[in-house]
Amino acid sequence: MAKELVEFRNLETHFKTSAGTVKAVNDVSFSIREGETLCVVGESGCGKSVTAMSLMQLIESPPGKIVGGEIIFEGKDLLKLSKKDMSRLRGNEIAMIFQEPMSSLNPVFTIGKQITEPLLYHLGMTQKEAKARAIELITMVGIPRPEKIYDSYPHELSGGMRQRIMIAIALSCNPKLLIADEPTTALDVTIQAQILDLMRDIKGKMNTAIMMITHDLGVVAEMADFVVVMYAGKVIEEAPVLELFKNPQHPYTQGLLKAKPVINQRQERLYSIPGQVPNPVDLGDNCHFHDRCEFCMEICKAKTPPLRTHADGHKTACWLYEEEGKAQ
Amino acid sequence: MSESVVQLDKQQSGGSSQPLVRVDNLKKYFPITGGVFQRRVGDVKAVDGVSFAINRGESFGLVGESGCGKSTIGRTLLRLNDKTDGTVTFDGQDLHKLSKSDLRNMRTKMQIVFQDPFSSLNPRIKVGEAIGEALIDHGLASRKDVKNRVIETMKICGLAEYHYDRFPHEFSGGQRQRIGIARALIMNPEFIVADEPVSALDVSIQAQIINLLSDLQREKQLTYLFISHDLSVVEHLCNRVGVMYLGTMMEMAPTDELFSNPLHPYTKALMSAIPIPDPTLKRERIVLQGDIPSPANPPSGCKFHTRCPMAADICKQQVPEYRNVGNEHFVACHFA
Ligand SMILES: Nc1ncnc2c1ncn2[C@@H]1O[C@H](COP(=O)(O)OP(=O)(O)OP(=O)(O)O)[C@@H](O)[C@H]1O
Ligand SMILES: Nc1ncnc2c1ncn2[C@@H]1O[C@H](COP(=O)(O)OP(=O)(O)O)[C@@H](O)[C@H]1O
Ligand code: SF4
Ligand code: SF4
Ligand SMILES: [Mg+2]
Ligand SMILES: [Mg+2]
């Protein structure tokens, strides 16, 4: 197996709200290996974006704060870096693209200015070198007439083109890790297919590790080497992609896979997980899925199940797979 | 009368009962103004001559990518905006000819679930009250009964009782969509235009709502126009499906027929673009090149020709006829 590039160790990121503390990321540990595409999947609000933003150290504070854990990147704990060192890493070794490319592009600057900026700042290129590289990048992400696009403004481009530009900016400094937070959620399916193709292509060429956040199990199946499933601030299962789809262990993962309508596999009735995601404020010491789980036992309501390896490379946090649970 | 309307007649003549909703050659253009005098310099042809009918108790799905005119059809069909041309008939009545008061009465029978419920919610009104608002407005329930009915409906939609007193900004996108559905359901309508009602929902909640919508349909003989960009959701919920591109119906067929035998190149591309949750699957995908053209300046001939992998010279010049190829299957392509 490839070398570890990033390791989240017991990460805790909390938000103080008027209703109480939201433990958005609650003791999260997992690793991303070099050149690997890791998908983080889970419902909205489960902590996917906050995990990524913690890695980037872009958590809005207040109300948010990383209150515990370590994020090891190439042997160094990012949480111990100075602001200056962190901003040198950001956009350079670690780059990020978001769901809504319009909001992350600056409307008043040309595309060219926005692509060349990290090249000038991080790589110290001259204006001329940066422009040549920018044109190359625009071509690489599959946009025709790069010279014209270089002088355009964001609003002149379609959503799909803007996302391509975001990818171009993210890749401009050859990052070791690309974080993509729902990069295709706002796009039409035919455009999504283009962007996913592009990302696969790039990964093949540049050997960039990708941390891809999505709620779409179809996208996971297509893109991931390895999958992390989150629920209410915790990792509840992780496994290589083939293993996870073949042998999902956690009742929530099993439910998710059954609940998705799949084209050309019409069912009389969709399986649905009852209930809803718990209120994120002041979650207790228990399995956060317990009130929706058909296998719930007494211990599930009283104690948090540990995330443990139960098969090769496959970890699950569920009492069903623990001696203490089996005894019940 | 246009070609498609004639065909619609043929299609309907086999059925015994009248369709609840009938759309004939509907057009909706939005003017583009420009220059110093804000003169009309062109039109966005959002809906450009679309015909279909929805039978009572049927769920008709409308699919296509953003900007193809799905929502505009939904809104024009409920007379939430004016039409440019064509007719919309609801229960035998020409909807765009009704008087204001007749329309108001008709409105309780027809509800819409919006794509973005947040924009239709007043930020200063508690969501429980917002859900019950229309019941009171139309004098359909006393203030005392309203709260119970609201809470009951909220629960059906996957919201909890403690949400009643909260304000819209305190909800996630997913929860707001459920508020929108509750608002429509509480009116006990005959017909619901559901405009991407599950698109913002998580998979586990999406399945609940889809099941709920199909239960309600069966129990209350509801009729749906179900608008979505997600073909797998539409396949699950709808009896018949129409596929649109740039304001035009490209293909329409009963669900099983459409999914087992798609004829239009656009329909095929859409189907092949959907990621399937099976990592062992290796598919040859049709990846369409380029972007969706602007509906203000649609391509000549077949509007899909700029992206169609099968396009030939004739496609640039001639609009393909929208014709019935049997099995109630309609398609607009020179080569289908
Ligand atoms: N300003 C706020 N005050 C209180 N609670 C909030 C606020 N914003 C969001 N929440 C709560 O946080 C949770 C997730 O909200 P958030 O909007 O971050 O979700 P999301 O991930 O964007 O969801 P979606 O994808 O459905 O839009 C929900 O339980 C919501 O009620
Ligand atoms: N700025 C913020 N203020 C308060 N709560 C927040 C903030 N950002 C995120 N959260 C909370 O953290 C949790 C995880 O959010 P997030 O990581 O965005 O979820 P997702 O998995 O959808 O990306 C949610 O409960 C959310 O409400
Ligand atoms: S720990 Fe218990 S409640 Fe949680 S998923 Fe496992 S069986 Fe269900
Ligand atoms: S008419 Fe021509 S361009 Fe249009 S869908 Fe058919 S083959 Fe493609
Ligand atoms: Mg998110
Ligand atoms: Mg719409």
Side-chain angles (χ1 to χ4, degrees), chain B residues 20-77:
Chain B
L20 179 65
V21 180
R22 206 188 145 103
V23 174
D24 287 329
N25 199 24
L26 187 67
K27 289 185 187 169
K28 176 62 190 176
Y29 295 175
F30 295 102
I32 309 166
T33 53
V36 198
F37 301 104
Q38 290 296 303
R39 283 209 194 91
R40 182 183 192 124
V41 294
D43 286 306
V44 175
K45 298 181 177 175
V47 179
D48 200 12
V50 167
S51 304
F52 61 90
I54 312 176
N55 297 314
R56 252 171 231 283
E58 189 182 34
S59 177
F60 182 75
L62 212 45
V63 298
E65 296 176 281
S66 57
C68 73
K70 307 181 295 293
S71 302
T72 309
I73 287 189
R75 296 181 54 83
T76 314
L77 205 150

Side-chain angles (χ1 to χ4, degrees), chain B residues 101-176:
Chain B
S101 64
D102 287 345
L103 184 64
R104 189 177 147 80
N105 290 332
M106 195 71 109
R107 281 267 154 81
T108 62
K109 297 185 193 170
M110 317 179 297
Q111 291 293 312
I112 185 163
V113 176
F114 288 103
Q115 187 164 0
D116 172 16
F118 193 52
S119 58
S120 63
L121 287 170
N122 183 330
R124 280 182 294 274
I125 294 184
K126 291 175 180 171
V127 308
E129 284 163 14
I131 293 169
E133 209 171 28
L135 274 184
I136 293 175
D137 279 3
H138 281 93
L140 295 174
S142 70
R143 278 190 189 274
K144 197 157 61 72
D145 296 339
V146 167
K147 183 157 183 177
N148 287 334
R149 277 185 62 185
V150 169
I151 289 171
E152 188 188 322
T153 312
M154 284 170 69
K155 284 185 178 158
I156 291 173
C157 295
L159 296 162
E161 191 167 342
Y162 71 82
H163 288 127
Y164 187 97
D165 292 316
R166 303 245 171 125
F167 292 92
H169 74 271
E170 297 177 65
F171 291 84
S172 73
Q175 290 167 322
R176 284 174 201 151

Side-chain angles (χ1 to χ4, degrees), chain A residues 250-252 287-291 293-297 300 305 317-320:
Chain A
H250 197 284
Y252 173 67
C287 170
H288 299 334
F289 189 59
H290 80 263
D291 59 348
C293 179
E294 55 180 307
F295 307 107
C296 180
M297 302 168 283
C300 309
C318 170
W319 287 117
L320 287 174

Side-chain angles (χ1 to χ4, degrees), chain B residues 188-254:
Chain B
N188 268 325
E190 280 177 45
F191 176 57
I192 294 182
V193 172
D195 190 349
E196 306 268 9
V198 299
S199 304
L201 303 184
D202 284 306
V203 182
S204 81
I205 305 302
Q206 185 174 311
Q208 293 174 4
I209 299 291
I210 292 171
N211 286 341
L212 170 72
L213 287 171
S214 69
D215 288 348
L216 287 167
Q217 182 186 26
R218 214 176 321 107
E219 284 160 21
K220 308 194 175 186
Q221 277 282 297
L222 279 176
T223 305
Y224 293 136
L225 172 64
F226 190 87
I227 296 171
S228 178
H229 65 276
D230 187 337
L231 277 165
S232 49
V233 170
V234 163
E235 181 187 22
H236 187 82
L237 200 67
C238 298
N239 311 97
R240 257 180 332 120
V241 180
V243 182
M244 289 185 66
Y245 189 77
L246 285 177
T248 305
M249 196 73 92
M250 291 295 179
E251 186 163 13
M252 178 167 75

